[in-house]
């Protein structure tokens, strides 16, 4: 078997806060193969975005990486290579699409400039060559009249167009891996579908791997082949997308799936209410002892409070962090 | 363009034209002493619209040439102050951490010493300060506020998402600072510099009035005031006209600074 494109092991990022040490990402491991699309799903505050930023070593000030953390990408350890080599990877081999293009694009630079800058930073192309490439890329992501649009500022474009610009910036050098952090969350539903379609199309053409970070299970179902479910800084379940949707094992995954509204539900005559997971993600300074989900879990018993579950393999590609795997009779129906 | 901006801008252009064209606009050389007749101070007349001083020099010509010196000193020293302040503030805010703490405490120390005191001490100890020395002295004591403002802006901008995004695309630190952060600080710099010019004009006039700035016979607004200060009641025209020049130049720059502040709204990133 060839080694994966990206291999993350025991990634831990913590922050020193007034309330104590916040272990925001706490021992996350996963791999992404070339050309594969992997989804990371979880509620706000579970460490998804921080995990993504850590892959590019873009840890917010104050954040500390544990020495055991490893992020290996195309054979290089992203967490220890010199700054110069790291910059050569960023944007060229591994790029990121940010959630909110309004804030992730610089308001004082034209969108063409911002796409061309990626080219200029990484290649020896001249200013005009870079600009031409930027315009071509803007056209490729479906911006009509790209040559004129390139000279406009972000505030002159609609939200969907801005996200297309973001995608153009990330993909202009055809990276091997693109991290898409909630790429459709800030957009209208109709635009969301267009953007996903665009990402799928470019993924096929460029042959890149995608790490898709989202809280939207619908997006994951459409795009990803494998899913990681994160909760409280940990991976709680990892499975191919079909088996995750067909037979979720972790109660948190079950809860997430049950909390997706469906039109079928709305049309039912018996007004069944949408299920929710009670409570919220605990603050990262005070993860509960034992299983971190036990306070919100309907199946929890004594063992869950004292004994932290490990991520165990239940099927060849399905791993779960829950005591129910060993004691399925505890599951309440 | 708003009317508030238009008037001070027009006035500034007039001042700049006068400064640039002083040798051609003046009826006489600024230091020319009459070669015949009685050398005495005469009141305004058709030949000398602003009168003459006790050495018989034409006050109008001296005020026009003084514009060049006074504005030149103010503009150059503010340019120095803005450059030094921007570099210092950007470095401090961008790198942050311990360096930021040290630089900002140093700045607190510098700010705790009154500027006028420093100016008086240095120029008095130096004796006759040459013009480049005066420009440097005013520039190197005028950047503290700029540094603080820039540092604050850079500090607020450096964790903005577009800065993180630029880094994520592989842009180097220097380029991120130069291309992505500094353009947002322009409004702050323009406003601060304009107000700084007003302040520096007044300071230079004060120093020259005390005989510590521009040295006679060189004409600057302050040095002409100084020449006429002993005879304000009998030879009012020697002090009145440079006085008007100082007041109107300072007011122009202040009005322009305020109008720019409203137009550019620094602190908010232009959308």
């Amino acid at each position: 078997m060839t080694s994966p494109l990206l291999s993350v092991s025991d990634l831990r990022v913590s922050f020193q806060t007034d309330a104590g040490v916040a272990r925001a990402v706490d021992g996350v491991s996963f791999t992404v193969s070339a050309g594969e699309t992997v989804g990371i799903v979880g509620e706000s505050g579970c460490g998804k975005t921080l995990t993504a930023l850590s892959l590019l070593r873009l840890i917010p000030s104050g954040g500390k990486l544990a020495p055991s953390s490893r992020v290996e990408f195309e054979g290089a350890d992203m967490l220890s290579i010199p700054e110069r080599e790291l910059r050569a990877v960023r944007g060229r081999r591994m790029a990121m699409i940010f959630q909110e293009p309004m804030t992730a694009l610089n308001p004082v630079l034209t969108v063409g400039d911002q796409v061309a800058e990626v080219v200029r930073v990484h290649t020896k192309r001249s200013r005009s060559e870079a600009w031409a490439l930027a315009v071509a890329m803007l056209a490729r992501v479906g911006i009509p009249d790209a040559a004129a649009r390139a000279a406009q500022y972000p505030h002159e474009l609609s939200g969907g167009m801005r996200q297309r610009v973001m995608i153009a910036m990330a993909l202009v050098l055809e990276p091997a891996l693109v991290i898409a952090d909630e790429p459709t969350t800030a957009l209208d539903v109709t635009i969301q579908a267009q953007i996903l379609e665009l990402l799928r199309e470019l993924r096929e053409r460029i042959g890149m791997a995608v790490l898709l970070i989202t809280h939207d299970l619908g997006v994951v179902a459409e795009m990803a082949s494998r899913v990681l479910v994160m909760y409280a800084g940990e991976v709680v379940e990892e499975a191919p997308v079909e088996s995750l949707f067909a037979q979720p094992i972790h109660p948190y995954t079950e809860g997430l799936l049950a909390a997706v509204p469906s039109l079928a539900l709305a049309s039912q005559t018996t007004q069944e209410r949408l299920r929710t997971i009670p409570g919220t993600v605990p603050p990262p300074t005070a993860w509960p002892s034992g299983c971190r989900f036990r306070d919100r879990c309907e199946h929890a018993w004594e063992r869950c409070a004292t004994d932290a579950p490990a991520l165990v393999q239940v099927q060849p590609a399905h791993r779960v962090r829950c005591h129910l795997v060993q004691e399925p009779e505890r599951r309440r129906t | 363009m708003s009317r508030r901006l238009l008037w001070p801008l027009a006035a500034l252009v007039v001042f700049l034209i006068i400064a640039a064209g002083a040798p051609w606009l003046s009826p006489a050389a600024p230091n020319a002493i009459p070669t015949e007749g009685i050398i005495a101070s005469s009141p305004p007349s058709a030949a000398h619209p602003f009168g003459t001083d006790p050495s018989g020099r034409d006050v109008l010509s001296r005020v026009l040439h003084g514009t060049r010196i006074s504005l030149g000193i103010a503009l150059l020293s503010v340019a120095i102050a803005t450059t030094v302040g921007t570099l210092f503030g950007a470095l401090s805010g961008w790198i942050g951490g311990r360096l930021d703490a040290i630089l900002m405490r140093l700045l607190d120390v510098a700010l705790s010493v009154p500027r006028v005191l420093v100016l008086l001490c240095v120029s008095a100890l130096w004796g006759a300060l040459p013009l480049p020395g005066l420009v440097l002295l005013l520039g190197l004591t005028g950047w503290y506020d700029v540094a603080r403002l820039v540092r604050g802006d850079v500090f607020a901008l450096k964790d903005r998402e577009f800065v993180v995004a630029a880094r994520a695309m592989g842009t180097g630190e220097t380029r991120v600072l130069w291309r992505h952060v500094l353009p947002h600080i322009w409004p702050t710099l323009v406003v601060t510099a304009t107000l700084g010019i007003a302040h520096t004009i007044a300071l230079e006039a004060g120093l020259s009035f005390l005989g510590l700035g521009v040295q006679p016979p060189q004409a600057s607004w302050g040095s002409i005031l100084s020449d006429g200060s002993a005879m304000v009641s009998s030879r009012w025209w020697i002090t009145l006209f440079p006085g008007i020049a100082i007041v109107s130049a300072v007011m122009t720059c202040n009005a322009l600074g305020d109008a720019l502040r409203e137009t550019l709204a620094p602190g908010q990133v232009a959308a």
Side-chain angles (χ1 to χ4, degrees), chain B residues 133-158:
Chain B
L134 186 61
V135 168
L136 265 180
L137 180 61
L138 286 167
L140 294 180
T141 53
W143 56 270
Y144 312 137
D145 289 336
V146 182
R148 270 205 168 172
L149 286 169
V150 169
R151 183 256 178 194
D153 277 6
V154 168
F155 203 79
L157 285 160
K158 74 170 176 180

Side-chain angles (χ1 to χ4, degrees), chain A residues 4-32:
Chain A
L5 179 69
L6 172 77
S7 153
V8 178
S9 68
D10 202 29
L11 182 68
R12 289 170 198 273
V13 185
S14 59
F15 292 85
Q16 188 68 51
T17 69
D18 293 340
V21 179
R23 298 192 310 255
V25 174
D26 208 11
V28 168
S29 304
F30 63 93
T31 60
V32 179

Side-chain angles (χ1 to χ4, degrees), chain A residues 90-91 103 106 117 121-122, chain B residues 161-162 167 169 179-180 184:
Chain A
R90 289 176 178 168
T103 57
N106 193 332
E117 178 167 286
V121 164
H122 289 288
Chain B
E161 211 180 14
F162 61 80
R167 277 203 193 108
M169 299 299 167
R179 284 258 299 168
H180 291 268
H184 291 270

Side-chain angles (χ1 to χ4, degrees), chain A residues 23-25 41-48 215 229-234 236 252 256 277-288 292-297:
Chain A
R23 298 192 310 255
V25 174
V41 186
E43 282 168 281
S44 316
C46 70
K48 304 175 298 222
H215 64 266
V229 180
M230 275 187 77
Y231 184 80
E234 294 178 327
V236 295
Y252 179 61
L256 282 182
I277 305 173
T280 53
V281 183
T285 47
W287 299 136
R292 293 178 183 179
F293 186 59
R294 67 181 158 86
D295 292 345
R296 303 171 71 187
C297 180

Side-chain angles (χ1 to χ4, degrees), chain A residues 56 58 61 87 90-91 96 98 100 103-109 113 117-118 120-122 155 166 169-170, chain B residues 158-173 175-176 179-181 183-184 269-271:
Chain A
L56 285 160
L58 285 169
S61 51
R87 282 206 301 268
R90 289 176 178 168
M96 184 154 173
F98 285 79
E100 184 32 274
T103 57
L105 293 173
N106 193 332
V108 302
L109 297 176
D113 264 338
E117 178 167 286
V118 183
R120 297 265 289 157
V121 164
H122 289 288
H155 73 270
M166 223 27 259
M169 269 172 85
Chain B
K158 74 170 176 180
D159 285 330
R160 291 281 295 272
E161 211 180 14
F162 61 80
V163 173
V164 178
R167 277 203 193 108
M169 299 299 167
T171 314
E173 291 297 292
R175 196 178 169 105
V176 174
R179 284 258 299 168
H180 291 268
V181 174
H184 291 270
V269 171

